[in-house]
Amino acid sequence: MDFTLDATQVRALGCLMEKELSTPEYCPLSLNALVNACNQKTNRQPVLALDADTVDAALRSLKDQQLVVQSDASRVPKFWQALGKQCHLIDREVALLCLLMLRGPQTAAELRARGESLCAFETPEQAAEALDNLATTGLIVQLPRQPGQKESRYTHLLGGAAETDEPAATVAAAPAGPSMAARIEQLETTVAGLQEELRLLRQEFTAFRSHFA
């Protein structure tokens, strides 16, 4: 990996990767659509408020690094991600990497559960293999397990040094009661189910619309 990205470039590229897997019928994305994706209130950590000029500047830099391709097939320029192709990644690896880019450090279990909305994992071993492959290519790294935490987390390396979402002392001091963990897990499962229902509804609506076009 011979590139280093800033936070805006990571967010823009991660969104292109995510939407390519979750809603391929709406890809490539226009600048406005990408700005909306970057500023989503859900499935983003941290939540940002980027303007079009900032995202456009990030896209220009990503194009210079051949990580984004611009499509001029329509009147409005649209954009594809090219990181997956450049790094020879399969869909499962793209899904896990973009989750780390969009939501910060996560455990293997969290990545597998959240990744199901982007790409099916038939077995836990498939997710583990994908993480190992990403680590081998230098795109991610496994962080040391923090005191009080049962699992180690992974983070991406696209910004250079390992990215963490909070200081180690904060992580160690954070309460981790079983009831809270159970509620969070249930909420994440519910959200993933709703996202899948929305994806299926979009597909059905697209098919219905094309039938009567």
Side-chain angles (χ1 to χ4, degrees):
M1 185 179 68
D2 55 357
F3 52 84
T4 300
L5 308 181
D6 63 28
T8 303
Q9 293 165 354
V10 168
R11 176 59 58 89
L13 184 57
C15 288
L16 290 174
M17 296 163 67
E18 177 196 49
K19 299 305 180 184
E20 185 176 301
L21 292 174
S22 63
T23 54
E25 65 273 20
Y26 296 113
C27 292
L29 296 183
S30 66
L31 175 60
N32 286 339
L34 181 57
V35 171
N36 290 335
C38 289
N39 295 334
Q40 273 184 213
K41 298 286 193 297
T42 58
N43 301 323
R44 302 289 185 266
Q45 179 61 38
V47 173
L48 301 178
L50 303 175
D51 58 32
D53 289 340
T54 301
V55 176
D56 186 50
L59 284 171
R60 289 198 301 270
S61 176
L62 291 168
K63 286 193 296 180
D64 290 342
Q65 298 178 77
Q66 299 182 332
L67 297 175
V68 162
V69 176
Q70 179 174 326
S71 170
D72 296 315
S74 61
R75 184 166 55 90
V76 177
K78 296 187 176 182
F79 304 92
W80 291 100
Q81 67 88 13
L83 175 63
K85 182 177 181 180
Q86 187 178 124
C87 294
H88 309 290
L89 305 180
I90 61 176
D91 284 351
R92 289 194 291 270
E93 294 163 356
V94 172
L96 297 177
L97 179 58
C98 79
L99 284 172
L100 291 173
M101 296 166 69
L102 296 176
R103 302 185 63 156
Q106 298 159 76
T107 67
E110 290 170 335
L111 289 166
R112 186 171 67 250
R114 293 163 178 166
E116 287 289 347
S117 63
L118 303 176
C119 182
F121 291 90
E122 297 178 4
T123 65
E125 288 72 24
Q126 285 186 336
E129 181 181 2
L131 288 171
D132 287 343
N133 291 341
L134 289 170
T136 299
T137 60
L139 292 170
I140 71 170
V141 68
Q142 187 174 20
L143 297 170
R145 185 169 60 85
Q146 298 287 348
Q149 300 296 310
K150 294 182 179 180
E151 295 185 62
S152 298
R153 299 184 301 169
Y154 291 84
T155 189
H156 72 81
L157 295 174
L158 299 180
E163 176 185 292
T164 59
D165 54 2
E166 55 190 358
T170 303
V171 175
S179 59
M180 178 64 73
R183 289 199 297 271
I184 292 173
E185 184 68 25
Q186 182 179 6
L187 179 60
E188 290 176 345
T189 301
T190 301
V191 171
L194 290 172
Q195 289 176 329
E196 178 64 15
E197 290 178 10
L198 179 59
R199 184 182 68 82
L200 293 174
L201 285 172
R202 283 173 172 166
Q203 289 180 344
E204 291 174 3
F205 177 76
T206 301
F208 177 84
R209 185 172 58 184
S210 62
H211 180 73
F212 289 96

